[in-house]
Amino acid sequence: CSFQALQEFTQDLVQGAWPKLESFDPGFNIPHPILAQIFGGMRRITKLFLTRTTMKPSTFQYLRPHLDSLVVLDHRGSTGLSSDMLREVMCSCPNLEELRSGSIIANDVLQDGPWVCTNLKIIQVCFMFDKSRSNADTHRAIFKRISGLTQLERLQVGGWSSGPNIPFQESLDLRLESGLGELATLKHIKCLDFFHTVQMFSEEDVRWIISNWRKLEETIGCVHPN
């Protein structure tokens, strides 16, 4: 797609063309001013795939009017969707079923009210913890929030295909002593993905997973990788 074609598409969209357009997947990086115009030109957004596009706060404000209608938000492999923005998504998207993003700071996404995205079936977010401070309460608080996502089928808390493993307890610590037991409410889990994290499961943790997640079909990641 040439830049000229993108400009023509955006101008037509802003002028009222394609009033029923609700899904957007460009497949390439969109300049911020044009992306803002596209968000503003679409009457309703239900599915948004921005796997090659950086998000800025100035652009995100044009997405805000669509948060209550979003069903899919995919921002994998891109940058700019900050912890603050993701927290707002989780607190403002009651219809969201799929959320795919990068890393977010665990403490940041606990600052506001409850997550309203209780229809989520897929969440692929790597919660990051500050290694310089005690995180026991923060791990448990994140588990508590996730426990409310009772429709989850895929829980991915690890990194992506590139980069080193995230050290032990700097991503979500999937052990009972850190709060894993809170997730007994997730009866539909089919996939647990902790790729590129360091986990230290005990036999008790594994037995708990087997006993509580009876629909589990797949786990992705390495236990005791060292």
Side-chain angles (χ1 to χ4, degrees):
C1 179
S2 67
F3 184 71
Q4 181 179 353
L6 178 62
Q7 286 183 311
E8 291 175 356
F9 164 80
T10 304
Q11 290 172 1
D12 289 344
L13 179 65
V14 170
Q15 291 173 5
W18 313 295
K20 296 183 179 180
L21 180 66
E22 296 186 356
S23 178
F24 184 62
D25 182 0
F28 56 91
N29 185 44
I30 301 288
H32 298 288
I34 292 181
L35 186 61
Q37 291 181 61
I38 291 172
F39 288 166
M42 294 178 70
R43 297 183 181 181
R44 188 170 185 261
I45 302 178
T46 57
K47 297 181 180 181
L48 187 58
F49 302 87
L50 297 175
T51 55
R52 297 177 184 271
T53 298
T54 300
M55 184 73 73
K56 283 188 175 181
S58 58
T59 309
F60 185 77
Q61 67 177 328
Y62 290 93
L63 181 60
R64 283 195 176 100
H66 302 287
L67 292 181
D68 63 348
S69 63
L70 270 182
V71 177
V72 176
L73 177 58
D74 190 338
H75 196 249
R76 287 175 293 176
S78 301
T79 60
L81 195 59
S82 67
S83 297
D84 288 340
M85 295 178 197
L86 278 170
R87 180 182 68 233
E88 186 171 344
V89 166
M90 292 167 140
C91 294
S92 307
C93 295
N95 295 301
L96 198 63
E97 295 182 3
E98 299 181 21
L99 175 61
R100 297 179 171 94
S101 189
S103 299
I104 59 178
I105 306 302
N107 278 302
D108 289 352
V109 294
L110 295 172
Q111 300 303 313
D112 287 343
W115 298 348
V116 302
C117 51
T118 54
N119 290 316
L120 274 176
K121 295 181 179 179
I122 298 173
I123 183 169
Q124 299 183 16
V125 170
C126 186
F127 298 97
M128 299 297 294
F129 296 80
D130 186 348
K131 63 182 179 181
S132 66
R133 60 197 295 183
S134 175
N135 291 303
D137 292 341
T138 307
H139 280 280
R140 192 167 294 277
I142 291 290
F143 278 121
K144 186 67 175 178
R145 291 290 184 99
I146 296 175
S147 72
L149 310 179
T150 56
Q151 302 305 308
L152 274 185
E153 297 179 5
R154 182 185 181 95
L155 175 60
Q156 177 170 331
V157 297
W160 305 105
S161 58
S162 61
N165 285 343
I166 302 167
F168 180 52
Q169 293 187 315
E170 289 185 30
S171 62
L172 194 61
D173 181 2
L174 298 170
R175 295 183 300 165
L176 291 170
E177 67 180 78
S178 294
L180 178 64
E182 297 283 354
L183 303 190
T185 55
L186 308 186
K187 302 299 185 183
H188 302 289
I189 289 290
K190 296 180 181 179
C191 177
L192 174 63
D193 187 338
F194 46 91
F195 186 61
H196 269 318
T197 73
V198 176
Q199 300 292 335
M200 298 293 181
F201 294 119
S202 67
E203 183 176 335
E204 181 185 12
D205 299 323
V206 174
R207 286 182 175 178
W208 184 93
I209 290 173
I210 294 172
S211 298
N212 285 273
W213 294 344
R214 305 304 293 271
K215 294 185 179 181
L216 190 65
E217 299 174 355
E218 181 181 24
T219 61
I220 302 173
C222 183
V223 181
H224 300 288
N226 296 323

